[in-house]
Amino acid sequence: MRRFWLVCLMLVLSAPVLAGVKVLATVPEWGALAREIGGARVDVFIATHALQDPHRIEARPALIARARAARLLIATGADLEVGWLPILLRESGNPHIQPGQPGYLEAARYVVLRDVPQQVDRAMGDVHPDGDPHFHLDPRNIPPVARALAARLMQVDPDGSATYQANLDAFLLRWQAALRRWEAEGARLAGLPVLQVHRAFGYLFHWLGMQSRGELEPKPGIEPTSGHLARIVERQRAAPARLIVRAAYQSDAAARWVAERAGIPLVVLPYTVGGSPDAGDLFGLFDATLARLQGALR
Amino acid sequence: MQKQWLWAALAWAFAQSAAATPTGDVNAQLAEMQARITQLQAAYEARIAALEEKLAAATAPAAASAAAVPAATLPAPSRGGGAGAFNPEVSLILQGAYQHKKKVAERQLSGFWTPGDAHADSHAHGGDRRGFNLDHTELVLAANIDSTFRGQATLALLDDQVELEEAWFQTLGLGQGLGLKAGRFFSGIGYLNEQHPHQWDFYDQPLMYKALFGAHSYTQDGVQLKWVAPTDVFVELGVEAGRGQNFPATEQDHNGAGSRALFARIGDDWGVAHSWRVGVSHLRTTARDRERHMESELIGEHAVAAFSGKSRIWLADFVYKWAPNGNPKDRNFKFQAEYFRRQEDGRLAAADEQGLALGESGYATRQSGYYLQGVYQFTPHWRAGLRYDRLQSGRQDLGSNPAALQTVDYRPRRATAMVDYSFSEYSRLRLQLARDRSMQGLTDHQVTLQYIMSLGSHGAHKF
């Protein structure tokens, strides 16, 4: 009998060790990164998936429960999650993941944001005062976030430092190799004029040297209107775009309407990990994105 | 790049020192060198980390640094903003309506004790006024006070009144899922109670809130302790103690708490598209000389009845939300329902208008009610909703009743339909039609056109 209780006690004591470091990622790209760096030591929960607009998420009870348990939170920042993350943090009663704590990591702090507005006014639509938060689509922005994440994991779980360092080194090596390959593959996309639904692909276009011919949304976050779409089709005559791209989570109707009127292909890009069956991880995300862009040009 | 160079230098230095003492204790030398290299490496790593930190703080470069991990990464300093960055988040909500309804001298819920005739509508949203009507302008100030607390104040402004709706602070992380809130706050009981009028899906609050609290929410001046359980399913328990000066309680001079509340909630997702929350709550208050006018057969006119005793309220609430693929931006549906039972026990003293006592009797009531509502957003800008309200005046036992006070048995009910259009997240216009039978012998068809405009840094809303 005593042995039974001893076994029970050991199980209880060892449970936290077996459980792994609970990481809450707001969006799939950081969830995928946490799995790369954390490996088997972490237990990652991703608050959203690729078919959800990350700006518009409800602070659902299930998410509060996950925030309560998390030891590390990795968010995009730059106001991407401003509509729901503050509620999760406040309602969770979890001191580890509050802003300013080692368990709160905002990826936007480690990269240079583009399109920082000179002036901010709600009449301009849903503008992000700190700049465009969709920076994960420039693969050169992934390594600094990976390093910051590894450092935070080491802080919250010092016993795993060697593992995190090794995983980080291996990831960065693979990433550098993949980056060279993508840049070689993407070279022929340079200069390509494109249209997009929401300003979600600014970093991707910038990285590949593609030219943005504007967005279907008249203002960020404002639904396309028929008048604005007609003007875009009109503009095709003077300055034609070769493609129109939309993220997997964005609605199809407006993009399809313009694609048909303008006679250009509509390309659905995964936008984040899980946005298409072949975008299973961060490497797959860029492989799939480049393959789709090039496929549409053939 | 730099790192490789350093390694090369170290290797060279090591080779030099090894070559210089070919006959010494090679093992000891090796160990010493190893230690020195480790030290150097550690120092180097630390310096790199510090540099990276500075760099990240200053310009946050994309891919400029070596593949070393900062040993102790602290959060980078907050983005610019200068002195203004410390200012509280301010939001101002403008609300108003045009309402077409019947002329009624004194609106009340038949069969229910509506709070103090004198100020019945002082803070009832929308009031009883007809025609063009400016509703309260809500001013909300909120900010983190320091790393331990967050504070918020909500003022409702209208003409010469400024009502302090909420003024509280809460802890940011007591740990173990605990959260403490203190000050004046909307009680956590029920579902709609914590919401401000601009968050409602209809112009007015459900009849049951009017019957229970008179105002749109039950407000506590006190403390609230909440605990979120460490489970994957959301489980939250809360307890509150407050002064208890608001209906159904009355202002009293006492130590201890005049109002106590308990609530428990469970919530989770069903797949990616569905989420839900269920809650039960209990509120217990005491009243002393809570006054109301009642018909008296003894004197053949209004008597002033004063209740002293306990009120006990049980609430059950359910919320269900649906969004295709869990993406509520284009289309979503929300269903909510709440049910209450209220039990009041005590004494009822009656007097005539001049204050002459007419006698005292027992007072025991058992009342209940509910509402159901569904709101569907069918395109990004448009929503439509239906609501049904029903109350039951239930048992009202006045015992020996020497003043022959008259009670009314009635089932107030109302059916409401609304459609609203949102230009953006910050502006909304709403048309609402209601068939209101909350007063005995009166069927009131109401048409309301309402606007809600939100200025400034509007905070996120709860589930």
Side-chain angles (χ1 to χ4, degrees):
Chain A
M1 197 58 201
R2 188 179 289 171
R3 184 179 291 172
F4 170 77
W5 287 114
L6 210 65
V7 170
C8 280
L9 183 70
M10 281 175 67
L11 278 176
V12 168
L13 289 177
S14 59
V17 181
L18 297 173
V21 179
K22 282 194 163 40
V23 176
L24 174 65
T26 58
V27 286
E29 56 267 26
W30 308 133
L33 188 63
R35 287 191 176 123
E36 297 277 359
I37 310 296
R41 287 194 73 89
V42 297
D43 181 2
V44 179
F45 181 83
I46 304 169
T48 61
H49 59 77
L51 296 180
Q52 288 175 311
D53 183 340
H55 304 87
R56 306 274 180 93
I57 301 295
E58 293 256 7
R60 304 192 310 274
L63 297 183
I64 296 172
R66 298 295 181 158
R68 155 74 163 94
R71 189 63 190 78
L72 177 69
L73 168 81
I74 175 163
T76 299
D79 281 357
L80 180 74
E81 301 101 340
V82 73
W84 51 285
L85 188 59
I87 297 270
L88 295 191
L89 293 175
R90 263 176 251 149
E91 295 292 310
S92 68
N94 182 351
H96 303 304
I97 56 166
Q98 299 297 326
Q101 297 297 321
Y104 175 84
L105 176 60
E106 230 179 61
R109 300 283 177 98
Y110 299 89
V111 299
V112 183
L113 295 184
R114 293 173 49 77
D115 296 326
V116 181
Q118 292 297 307
Q119 156 205 11
V120 182
D121 189 323
R122 285 268 159 76
M124 293 152 64
D126 246 343
V127 288
H128 293 281
D130 297 321
D132 183 351
H134 307 286
F135 55 83
H136 69 283
L137 285 174
D138 183 340
R140 295 168 299 181
N141 285 338
I142 299 296
V145 180
R147 282 187 210 106
L149 176 60
R152 293 302 180 87
L153 281 168
M154 288 178 197
Q155 259 182 297
V156 301
D157 177 29
D159 293 345
S161 295
T163 312
Y164 300 135
Q165 183 68 61
N167 288 350
L168 173 69
D169 291 343
F171 173 76
L172 290 177
L173 270 178
R174 285 174 65 209
W175 196 258
Q176 286 308 325
L179 189 58
R180 278 194 289 275
R181 189 179 79 236
W182 292 327
E183 284 180 346
E185 282 173 18
R188 55 185 289 246
L189 295 168
L192 187 76
V194 282
L195 281 166
Q196 56 176 332
V197 174
H198 171 75
R199 202 182 289 162
F201 295 100
Y203 289 87
L204 182 76
F205 297 165
H206 172 72
W207 168 53
L208 293 171
M210 294 158 75
Q211 277 181 46
S212 177
R213 283 283 153 82
E215 294 86 36
L216 304 196
E217 289 180 346
K219 278 161 190 168
I222 306 294
E223 288 301 309
T225 57
S226 51
H228 182 70
L229 295 184
R231 275 194 295 280
I232 284 179
V233 173
E234 186 64 29
R235 224 165 47 205
Q236 271 296 101
R237 295 207 190 117
R242 292 277 309 280
L243 295 175
I244 174 164
V245 301
R246 78 163 171 93
Y249 72 80
Q250 288 159 345
S251 69
D252 194 55
R256 185 152 300 284
W257 191 89
V258 173
E260 277 166 14
R261 295 292 182 294
I264 53 173
L266 166 61
V267 185
V268 181
L269 296 181
Y271 173 76
T272 184
V273 174
S276 68
D278 44 353
D281 60 12
L282 285 165
F283 295 94
L285 168 62
F286 287 96
D287 284 335
T289 301
L290 283 166
R292 273 151 201 257
L293 284 172
Q294 287 173 327
L297 286 184
R298 253 174 235 132
Chain B
M1 214 20 220
Q2 280 181 16
K3 196 180 179 186
Q4 280 163 6
W5 178 85
L6 188 94
W7 277 112
L10 282 171
W12 179 79
F14 179 73
Q16 286 291 309
S17 68
T21 53
T23 53
D25 188 350
V26 179
N27 279 342
Q29 292 249 336
L30 261 173
E32 191 194 332
M33 284 313 295
Q34 206 84 46
R36 209 174 280 175
I37 289 170
T38 318
Q39 270 176 16
L40 269 168
Q41 193 185 354
Y44 167 75
E45 294 272 7
R47 277 177 58 192
I48 290 279
L51 277 171
E52 273 201 333
E53 205 56 55
K54 270 187 198 163
L55 225 55
T59 50
S65 49
V69 171
T73 309
L74 295 163
S78 80
R79 311 145 241 162
F86 285 117
N87 287 344
E89 304 142 29
V90 180
S91 73
L92 187 75
I93 293 141
L94 307 176
Q95 305 173 94
Y98 176 84
Q99 205 171 23
H100 180 93
K101 59 186 180 187
K102 276 196 178 131
K103 184 178 172 70
V104 178
E106 198 182 312
R107 281 184 185 268
Q108 54 186 330
L109 287 169
S110 297
F112 283 80
W113 186 305
T114 12
D117 302 304
H119 58 280
D121 291 311
S122 70
H123 53 307
H125 178 70
D128 279 346
R129 291 196 289 181
R130 305 191 296 161
F132 288 100
N133 196 4
L134 183 71
D135 291 323
H136 286 104
T137 299
E138 257 179 57
L139 177 65
V140 186
L141 299 164
N144 286 344
I145 295 162
D146 53 25
S147 61
T148 317
F149 299 111
R150 179 180 177 80
Q152 179 176 322
T154 307
L155 305 171
L157 318 172
L158 187 63
D159 299 328
D160 55 345
Q161 338 160 0
V162 178
E163 191 194 335
L164 189 59
E165 282 199 324
E166 290 194 279
W168 47 259
F169 70 90
Q170 68 178 179
T171 56
L172 285 173
L174 275 185
Q176 307 303 321
L178 291 168
L180 185 77
K181 195 190 244 189
R184 171 174 296 180
F185 54 89
F186 286 174
S187 169
I189 56 173
Y191 173 69
L192 212 51
N193 196 65
E194 276 191 317
Q195 297 188 2
H196 285 271
H198 74 267
Q199 294 166 260
W200 297 346
D201 294 320
F202 291 86
Y203 173 65
D204 35 23
Q205 86 264 48
L207 290 181
M208 67 175 255
Y209 274 85
K210 204 173 171 188
L212 284 172
F213 310 126
H216 54 67
S217 290
Y218 185 71
T219 308
Q220 295 269 30
D221 283 10
V223 290
Q224 177 191 66
L225 184 68
K226 281 202 295 192
W227 178 67
V228 182
T231 47
D232 285 350
V233 174
F234 172 74
V235 177
E236 184 181 64
L237 304 175
V239 49
E240 291 171 2
R243 177 166 189 85
Q245 76 276 41
N246 298 315
F247 187 86
T250 55
E251 175 65 47
Q252 287 169 72
D253 179 16
H254 55 55
N255 288 320
S259 144
R260 275 160 290 177
L262 288 172
F263 54 86
R265 298 173 183 135
I266 302 178
D268 204 0
D269 293 342
W270 285 317
V272 289
H274 315 272
S275 51
W276 55 274
R277 202 190 87 176
V278 176
V280 288
S281 17
H282 178 54
L283 174 70
R284 196 178 264 257
T285 61
T286 55
R288 180 161 296 276
D289 295 330
R290 189 179 79 197
E291 290 191 350
R292 169 199 182 186
H293 285 114
M294 287 177 93
E295 292 290 329
S296 164
E297 281 200 338
L298 183 72
I299 56 172
E301 56 184 272
H302 278 319
V304 179
F307 166 74
S308 300
K310 277 188 287 194
S311 302
R312 278 169 285 180
I313 297 168
W314 289 265
L315 286 157
D317 62 88
F318 174 69
V319 189
Y320 160 81
K321 292 189 186 184
W322 168 85
N325 286 321
N327 189 23
K329 192 187 179 198
D330 297 332
R331 282 187 305 144
N332 64 69
F333 175 73
K334 176 185 180 187
F335 173 82
Q336 75 190 57
E338 291 186 75
Y339 171 81
F340 83 92
R341 287 188 76 82
R342 178 170 66 187
Q343 185 173 331
E344 295 201 302
D345 294 286
R347 309 286 301 165
L348 194 68
D352 70 6
E353 297 275 9
Q354 281 70 46
L356 187 71
L358 300 173
E360 202 180 84
S361 69
Y363 182 81
T365 60
R366 306 285 181 269
Q367 303 188 304
S368 63
Y370 67 88
Y371 75 89
L372 310 164
Q373 73 178 52
V375 176
Y376 181 47
Q377 179 181 312
F378 49 95
T379 74
H381 298 286
W382 288 95
R383 305 191 314 158
L386 292 172
R387 176 178 68 184
Y388 183 70
D389 280 286
R390 192 177 177 95
L391 305 178
Q392 182 121 23
S393 62
R395 186 163 80 90
Q396 302 172 76
D397 182 0
L398 303 190
S400 57
N401 196 7
L405 297 171
Q406 298 298 293
T407 57
V408 178
D409 289 325
Y410 189 62
R411 290 173 184 177
R413 52 207 180 272
R414 183 175 63 183
T416 316
M418 76 89 190
V419 57
D420 65 25
Y421 182 85
S422 303
F423 296 85
S424 70
E425 286 168 87
Y426 310 103
S427 61
R428 177 169 284 170
L429 293 183
R430 175 179 293 147
L431 175 68
Q432 176 175 310
L433 308 174
R435 183 163 186 260
D436 184 352
R437 287 190 290 172
S438 58
M439 288 182 75
Q440 200 166 27
L442 178 79
T443 301
D444 192 9
H445 291 99
Q446 304 169 344
V447 181
T448 311
L449 190 61
Q450 183 199 9
Y451 68 84
I452 304 168
M453 305 280 160
S454 152
L455 287 70
S457 65
H458 192 68
H461 286 159
K462 287 192 187 180
F463 180 73

